[in-house]
């Protein structure tokens, strides 16, 4: 019990200090070792750091660094070619000003589903949203919630095929691909989009009645690499089309047809195609998409080398933040106090591991303030347990995958979440002004959708 108290204190400090702006890269090892010392293992601190923390951190980087790297480069090329702005402008023009909120949400959704990172999406869409909302008298404080709904909810965790890291992490644990439980994922996505839009439109109407208007704000502007001309809509959409289509074709047709028996040898880690096919498909799809942007926009991107370098540089901090949280989780999971916590959480719904899985991942994502961090910690420590429980109870591994992915994208969006802080800062707003609506669309509504998926999956199975 003493060890469990140390773990809880460590988690509280991690959440509080991360919210205060301290680097997770520094906090994670310090607070992991704090929990070790509290457990009475002070003489083993260096061993826990080098053999447990760093092994967990390194393992995550080895597995997922290509996704962070290629995703960041792809996003930067989409931004500097003007493609992201072209797509956002298209939705605003086609849907019209009377559907301003929907146009912003769909712009973010299309870009993120096509593989563009949240941060690039925010920088691309915010100036458009700001000008549009100001013209129509829609409160600026609603922009962060609109970006969150489009970029950080259904296109991150629920929509089948999304290349988001939160959809990729469960694959090697459950031998699944990005299209796991497609029917349930589509239903959840539709629910989140419709309900989120209902909420945001309701808030706009309420603001109209009170004559709130856009508000008085000092605007900030994000500097981009200059482009000589914006690409046409077709040219802008081609890279996104390539990501979506090539990902599907590689996953379902090309990669399964290859002779991959060599993967079962010691040289390749005695693995199987099912464990790596999803990652291979995303990597290949993003490489093809990056090349297509360069070819199609060779004259539009002023400095291709600089764009690629900026994309590469911007990938380092996100992956090291998340990997540090995974290393932290590896240490916590190795302590005796964690066994007590794990058994308690698993025992909440002993006959339905879907419920237990959803609770564990939500709690860890909420504590760490990271969907991918909480998901990785949960599956690294309990992935085999949930896989065994799924077999015992006759539950589809595809359903386990979809629930795991969706569970990571709810309580992660608490106030200390990095994306929440980034979006609010980008919009030059405060938590007090904007967070309430962000909480509704990115926490409450996804939790309701997750409950619906668990219920339907329990009754009808995976589809």
């Amino acid at each position: 019990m003493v060890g469990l108290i140390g773990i809880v204190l460590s988690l509280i400090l991690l959440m509080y200090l991360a919210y205060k702006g301290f680097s997770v890269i520094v906090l994670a090892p310090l607070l992991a070792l704090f929990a070790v010392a509290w457990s009475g293992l002070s003489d083993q601190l260096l061993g826990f750091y080098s053999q447990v923390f760093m092994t967990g951190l390194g393992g995550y980087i080895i597995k997922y660094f290509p996704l962070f790297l290629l995703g960041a480069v792809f996003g930067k090329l989409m931004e500097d070619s003007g493609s992201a702005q072209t797509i956002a402008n298209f939705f605003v023009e086609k849907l019209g000003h009377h559907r301003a909120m929907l146009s912003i949400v769909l712009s973010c959704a299309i870009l993120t589903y096509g593989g563009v990172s949240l941060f690039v999406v925010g920088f691309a869409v915010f100036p458009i949203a700001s000008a549009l909302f100001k013209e129509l008298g829609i409160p600026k404080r609603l922009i962060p919630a609109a970006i969150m709904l489009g970029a950080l909810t259904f296109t991150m965790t629920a929509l089948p095929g999304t290349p988001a890291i939160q959809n990729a992490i469960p694959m090697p644990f459950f031998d699944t691909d990005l299209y796991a439980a497609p029917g349930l994922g589509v239903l959840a996505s539709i629910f989140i989009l419709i309900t989120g839009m209902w909420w945001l439109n309701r808030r706009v109407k309420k603001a109209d009645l009170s004559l709130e208007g856009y508000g008085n704000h000092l605007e900030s502007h994000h500097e981009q690499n200059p482009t000589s001309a914006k690409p046409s809509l077709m040219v802008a959409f081609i890279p996104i089309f390539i990501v979506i289509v090539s990902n599907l074709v590689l996953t379902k047709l090309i990669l399964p047809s290859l002779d991959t028996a060599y993967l079962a040898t010691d040289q390749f880690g005695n693995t199987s195609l099912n464990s790596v096919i999803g990652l291979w498909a995303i990597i290949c799809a993003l490489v093809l998409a990056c090349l297509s942007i360069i070819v199609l926009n060779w004259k539009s991107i002023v400095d291709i080398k600089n764009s690629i370098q900026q994309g590469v540089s911007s990938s380092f901090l996100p992956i090291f933040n998340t990997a540090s949280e995974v290393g932290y989780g590896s240490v916590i999971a190795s302590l005796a106090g964690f066994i007590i916590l794990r058994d308690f959480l698993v025992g909440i719904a002993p006959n339905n591991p879907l419920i237990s899985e959803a609770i564990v991942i939500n709690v860890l994502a909420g504590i760490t303030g990271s969907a991918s961090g909480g998901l990785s910690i949960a599956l690294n420590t309990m992935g085999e347990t949930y896989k065994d429980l799924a077999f015992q109870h006759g539950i589809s591994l595809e359903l386990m995958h979809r629930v795991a992915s969706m569970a990571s994208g709810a309580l992660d969006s608490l106030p200390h979440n990095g994306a929440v802080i980034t979006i609010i800062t980008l919009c030059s707003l405060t938590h007090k002004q904007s967070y309430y609506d962000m909480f509704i669309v990115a926490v409450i509504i996804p939790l309701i959708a997750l409950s619906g998926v668990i219920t339907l999956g329990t009754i009808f199975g995976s589809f």
Side-chain angles (χ1 to χ4, degrees):
M1 185 58 69
V2 173
L4 180 59
I5 293 173
I7 290 173
V8 173
L9 286 174
S10 172
L11 292 172
I12 291 173
L13 285 170
L14 178 64
M15 183 165 59
Y16 175 75
L17 293 174
Y19 175 67
K20 288 295 184 179
F22 288 89
S23 171
V24 171
I25 296 175
V26 175
L27 290 177
L30 292 178
L31 292 175
L33 297 181
F34 168 83
V36 171
W38 191 286
S39 299
L41 301 172
S42 299
D43 58 329
Q44 300 177 24
L45 288 178
L46 291 176
F48 269 97
Y49 176 72
S50 65
Q51 304 307 117
V52 182
F53 179 87
M54 288 305 298
T55 299
L57 179 150
Y60 184 87
I61 291 176
I62 288 170
K63 184 177 290 185
Y64 297 114
F65 178 65
L67 299 189
F68 280 83
L69 174 66
L70 291 169
V73 171
F74 175 65
K76 189 59 181 172
L77 290 172
M78 284 289 288
E79 179 183 20
D80 288 351
S81 68
S83 298
Q85 290 76 22
T86 294
I87 292 171
N89 285 328
F90 166 75
F91 281 104
V92 171
E93 292 169 3
K94 289 299 179 183
L95 292 174
H97 287 191
H98 61 292
R99 294 193 181 94
M101 189 66 72
L102 180 61
S103 66
I104 298 303
V105 171
L106 289 182
S107 297
C108 294
I110 290 294
L111 288 168
T112 49
Y113 188 68
V116 181
S117 73
L118 159 74
F119 304 103
V120 171
V121 170
F123 288 134
V125 173
F126 169 68
I128 299 169
S130 176
L132 188 60
F133 281 30
K134 182 183 292 186
E135 179 183 342
L136 299 176
I138 300 173
K140 182 185 180 184
R141 61 181 173 80
L142 295 177
I143 295 178
I147 294 175
M148 287 283 283
L149 178 60
L152 271 173
T153 57
F154 62 97
T155 57
M156 185 177 82
T157 64
L159 201 58
T162 177
I165 189 70
Q166 294 79 5
N167 193 32
I169 289 173
M171 294 189 301
F173 295 97
F174 298 124
D175 296 331
T176 49
D177 57 41
L178 295 178
Y179 300 90
L184 289 168
V186 169
L187 288 176
S189 299
I190 292 172
F191 173 83
I192 292 171
L193 176 59
I194 291 176
T195 309
M197 285 306 308
W198 167 80
W199 174 263
L200 292 177
N201 287 330
R202 178 174 175 268
R203 296 288 284 170
V204 170
K205 290 179 181 178
K206 185 176 180 180
D208 285 343
L209 291 175
S210 62
L211 303 177
E212 178 180 344
Y214 181 77
N216 296 318
H217 303 279
L218 292 175
E219 303 296 354
S220 61
H221 299 283
H222 170 60
E223 293 186 3
Q224 304 173 11
N225 287 340
T227 58
S228 58
K230 294 290 189 294
S232 67
L233 183 65
M234 179 178 292
V235 170
F237 262 112
I238 285 175
I240 287 180
F241 179 79
I242 287 174
V243 171
I244 296 170
V245 174
S246 61
N247 189 10
L248 178 62
V249 172
L250 284 162
T251 300
K252 300 298 184 181
L253 298 175
I254 297 177
L255 293 178
S257 68
L258 300 178
D259 180 8
T260 54
Y262 66 89
L263 291 173
T265 63
D266 292 341
Q267 183 179 1
F268 295 95
N270 297 300
T271 190
S272 66
L273 179 62
N274 286 339
S275 298
V276 297
I277 189 171
L279 293 173
W280 286 6
I282 304 174
I283 290 170
C284 293
L286 287 173
V287 168
L288 290 172
C290 288
L291 292 174
S292 73
I293 298 175
I294 293 172
V295 171
L296 293 169
N297 300 277
W298 185 260
K299 295 182 179 179
S300 299
I301 304 176
V302 174
D303 190 341
I304 291 175
K305 183 179 71 174
N306 186 53
S307 295
I308 293 174
Q309 183 57 46
Q310 286 188 26
V312 170
S313 299
S314 68
S315 71
F316 295 149
L317 186 59
I319 192 169
F320 271 95
N321 277 335
T322 305
S324 295
E325 290 169 343
V326 172
Y328 170 86
S330 299
V331 172
I332 297 300
S334 67
L335 300 176
F338 182 78
I339 306 300
I340 299 172
L341 178 62
R342 183 195 68 187
D343 291 345
F344 169 75
L345 292 173
V346 171
I348 291 176
N351 295 320
N352 192 339
L354 292 172
I355 297 175
S356 170
E357 179 186 49
I359 292 173
V360 169
I361 293 173
N362 254 304
V363 168
L364 289 173
I367 289 170
T368 60
S370 167
S372 56
L375 181 58
S376 295
I377 292 170
L379 294 184
N380 280 329
T381 56
M382 300 178 65
E384 284 298 320
T385 299
Y386 283 124
K387 189 173 183 179
D388 292 341
L389 288 172
F391 284 130
Q392 291 176 24
H393 294 276
I395 296 175
S396 164
L397 292 180
E398 288 203 0
L399 181 55
M400 296 294 290
H401 172 132
R402 187 54 56 209
V403 168
S405 180
M406 289 185 62
S408 73
L411 292 183
D412 70 305
S413 296
L414 293 177
H416 61 295
N417 173 271
V420 169
I421 295 170
T422 298
I423 293 173
I424 289 176
T425 303
L426 168 67
C427 298
S428 300
L429 294 167
T430 65
H431 278 77
K432 183 177 180 181
Q433 291 171 308
S434 295
Y435 183 70
Y436 175 64
D437 294 294
M438 299 172 80
F439 178 77
I440 297 297
V441 301
V443 177
I444 298 299
I445 292 174
L447 279 175
I448 296 172
L450 173 62
S451 300
V453 167
I454 292 174
T455 301
L456 290 173
T458 300
I459 297 172
F460 301 107
S462 178
F463 60 89

